[in-house]
Amino acid sequence: VYDLKRDRKVAELEEDSYLTYVTQVGEYIITEYISAAGERYGLLLDGKLRTLARLPRLCDVVDGMLVFDYESGNLRQCRLYSLQELVALGEAFVTENQ
């Protein structure tokens, strides 16, 4: 990845797979890949292109929703949650189950 404004290399993406798509979701970047073996996956990157998470079976991003293909005829989708949202969900779960 090159920064056109500064004309310099910023990061290196996956070398063993084919990049199929890049999507920005809020402050994050999602890169989608397919490996030579046909495995689809994505990487969740921060603004400095550091990998935050690997997303196995990722096949698309639609309106901020991640779509996963489970190869059994089922597609599943979910959205990205902020750390604050996950903490609130965890606290609500603990409160409900006490």
Side-chain angles (χ1 to χ4, degrees):
V1 176
Y2 289 89
D3 182 333
L4 293 176
K5 291 180 182 177
R6 296 186 186 112
D7 193 32
R8 67 181 176 102
K9 183 178 176 179
V10 177
E12 214 168 284
L13 299 177
E14 296 286 282
E15 295 180 7
D16 299 335
S17 298
Y18 301 99
L19 178 67
T20 60
Y21 211 79
V22 177
T23 307
Q24 186 160 2
V25 178
E27 63 188 77
Y28 302 106
I29 297 169
I30 298 174
T31 54
E32 297 174 48
Y33 299 91
I34 188 164
S35 71
E39 172 198 10
R40 296 184 71 126
Y41 67 96
L43 296 177
L44 177 64
L45 309 173
D46 66 10
K48 294 184 179 181
L49 302 179
R50 294 179 295 211
T51 301
L52 301 174
R54 183 178 171 89
L55 307 165
R57 299 186 181 104
L58 180 71
C59 67
D60 205 355
V61 179
V62 179
D63 295 328
M65 298 290 286
L66 306 178
V67 181
F68 298 89
D69 183 356
Y70 283 83
E71 299 178 5
S72 61
N74 294 320
L75 294 177
R76 296 193 177 152
Q77 66 180 14
C78 71
R79 70 179 187 88
L80 287 175
Y81 290 91
S82 70
L83 186 56
Q84 293 80 11
E85 289 173 308
L86 290 173
V87 168
L89 287 170
E91 289 172 345
F93 179 79
V94 168
T95 301
E96 290 174 7
N97 292 297
Q98 286 182 347

